[in-house]
Amino acid sequence: MRETCAARPGLMAASRTLGTFRLPPLPTIREIIKLFRLQAVKQLSQNFLLDLRLTDKIVRKAGSLTNAYVYEVGPGPGGITRSILNAGVAELLVVEKDSRFIPGLQMLSDAAPGKLRIVHGDVLTFKIERAFPENLKRQWEDDLPNVHIIGNLPFSVSTPLIITWLENVSHRNGPFAYGRTQMTFQKEVAERLTASTGSKQRSRLSIMAQYLCDVQHILTVPGQAFIPKPEMDSGVVHFTPLTRLRIEQPFRLVERVVQNAFQFRRKCRHRGPGMSFPECRRLESTGKLFRLADVDPTLRPTQLSVLHFKSLAYQKMCDEDPHHFAYNFREELKQKSEKRG
């Protein structure tokens, strides 16, 4: 992972006092794409947002960025990057894996001396907790830190990245070592993240996000605003970590319960949690789970609330038999298949 442009401390300090900073006249995003011969790669689910009025609106929805430290994920040709720089930030750190976009971002860095740092690397492995000053850190129960994550998440990495960040929230590390860092990003599956109980869009992501954060769908960006046009409109989602989590159990345990439930979306609720137990005692253990949780076993996964999953996070049963937590039904199926072969 390589940092291509380090901010100069003297200039950075000076720039923080200039809340009215604006970028000088620059080539448009469309001209940048043409200048550097950039093309969206379909395999990476890349789409370019060219309308700076829309990128300005997305950034405004993130809240006040005056003197904020912002981590932008997947800046691409730099549309949202420009809007963030014009919002009066103290420092903007961008992480971009695609080397084709680095020259255009470097042009922005030259136009905003001391404000923009560019890291050529992978957001899935970048250590953001070491990137910003220590004095930005706040206690979890205190006011929100002046640190933000903003980005356009490509479909190809969005779900693993969101799950990683949510696990970071539960452990208060990674981007959340600074406190309850806010996240604002554009994503095709915004409806899944914000879906309420009973919605057809209700999913594993809905539960995992909503038990850890206040999640708001704050803006819809029409598909025709992108080049190339995606198959669906895109939503902008804002996350604020909760002071007190709605399920106070280990993240991996909650994830296991939720993941098993949604493997059988169209089935009654008991089949999914049953996969948390070895086949030899699955029926007995599943019945015990529902009795302890006081949950109707005829409900489908989409009909379950966060409170239902709180009850189903069966820490007590795992304490009684640690094998319950270690068990993986796919491994059992694999072993059976190998024996038959």
Side-chain angles (χ1 to χ4, degrees):
M1 195 168 290
R2 185 164 59 93
E3 188 167 322
T4 63
C5 178
R8 288 169 283 176
L11 286 172
M12 187 192 302
S15 70
R16 287 174 198 158
T17 65
L18 302 177
T20 58
F21 172 84
R22 300 291 294 181
L23 287 166
L26 292 166
T28 65
I29 297 299
R30 191 180 296 275
E31 289 168 342
I32 290 290
I33 291 171
K34 186 176 180 180
L35 176 64
F36 295 105
R37 299 180 180 179
L38 302 173
Q39 290 185 331
V41 178
K42 186 175 181 180
Q43 292 86 340
L44 299 178
S45 307
Q46 290 179 341
N47 305 94
F48 302 150
L49 185 56
L50 306 184
D51 189 341
L52 292 183
R53 292 171 300 180
L54 275 174
T55 60
D56 285 347
K57 192 171 184 179
I58 290 171
V59 169
R60 286 196 301 271
K61 290 289 186 178
S64 174
L65 298 185
T66 303
N67 293 327
Y69 287 76
V70 180
Y71 170 36
E72 184 187 1
V73 175
I80 292 179
T81 311
R82 296 185 186 209
S83 296
I84 295 172
L85 289 170
N86 281 330
V89 298
E91 182 180 345
L92 170 59
L93 169 66
V94 300
V95 176
E96 177 56 64
K97 186 176 183 179
D98 194 331
S99 59
R100 298 174 305 147
F101 297 126
I102 300 301
L105 294 171
Q106 185 63 54
M107 183 183 294
L108 283 179
S109 181
D110 294 341
K115 280 187 171 284
L116 177 60
R117 280 195 288 155
I118 304 165
V119 173
H120 183 199
D122 190 339
V123 296
L124 291 172
T125 57
F126 182 70
K127 303 296 184 184
I128 183 62
E129 61 268 36
R130 302 173 186 171
F132 294 139
E134 287 284 318
N135 61 12
L136 292 171
K137 293 184 176 180
R138 299 288 182 269
Q139 293 297 316
W140 196 257
E141 296 77 15
D142 290 348
D143 292 339
L144 301 173
N146 206 9
V147 178
H148 292 255
I149 301 173
I150 300 176
N152 175 11
L153 302 187
F155 187 80
S156 57
V157 301
S158 59
T159 298
L161 185 57
I162 290 171
I163 291 296
T164 296
W165 281 339
L166 291 174
E167 185 167 10
N168 290 150
V169 171
S170 73
H171 295 303
R172 303 183 184 183
N173 60 14
F176 308 97
Y178 300 98
R180 292 183 294 122
T181 299
Q182 298 175 79
M183 302 187 289
T184 306
F185 50 81
Q186 174 262 314
K187 194 177 187 310
E188 292 87 345
V189 292
E191 291 183 357
R192 285 171 52 199
L193 286 162
T194 57
S196 59
T197 305
S199 166
K200 291 181 180 179
Q201 296 290 337
R202 192 77 159 168
S203 68
R204 174 176 72 118
L205 276 180
S206 312
I207 304 299
M208 299 306 292
Q210 293 170 28
Y211 100 80
L212 293 161
C213 301
D214 175 46
V215 189
Q216 301 291 331
H217 185 172
I218 55 177
L219 182 67
T220 297
V221 182
Q224 58 264 32
F226 296 89
I227 302 293
K229 180 184 174 182
E231 295 180 1
M232 63 183 76
D233 293 343
S234 180
V236 179
V237 187
H238 185 77
F239 287 66
T240 305
L242 297 168
T243 305
R244 184 171 180 179
L245 308 185
R246 293 189 173 104
I247 303 176
E248 295 183 333
Q249 298 283 9
F251 180 88
R252 293 296 176 90
L253 187 148
V254 178
E255 185 180 34
R256 175 73 62 88
V257 172
V258 175
Q259 194 170 38
N260 283 341
F262 280 95
Q263 286 187 19
F264 303 98
R265 291 179 62 87
R266 300 182 184 278
K267 302 294 183 181
C268 291
R269 180 66 188 95
H270 63 83
R271 185 171 182 184
M275 294 302 166
S276 300
F277 306 107
E279 187 176 17
C280 61
R281 55 179 182 274
R282 185 169 294 159
L283 189 63
E284 176 189 354
S285 295
T286 305
K288 182 181 178 182
L289 170 62
F290 279 95
R291 287 195 302 274
L292 290 174
D294 193 24
V295 174
D296 181 354
T298 67
L299 293 175
R300 292 184 176 181
T302 55
Q303 297 173 302
L304 295 174
S305 67
V306 170
L307 288 177
H308 283 130
F309 280 103
K310 179 179 180 179
S311 298
L312 289 166
Y314 48 101
Q315 181 64 55
K316 181 179 179 181
M317 296 184 71
C318 292
D319 288 341
E320 293 172 355
D321 185 355
H323 180 68
H324 285 168
F325 187 64
Y327 171 73
N328 185 324
F329 81 92
R330 294 187 182 278
E331 284 297 319
E332 185 175 25
L333 289 176
K334 181 180 177 181
Q335 290 172 9
K336 286 183 177 181
S337 177
E338 289 173 350
K339 287 180 180 179
R340 287 196 298 267

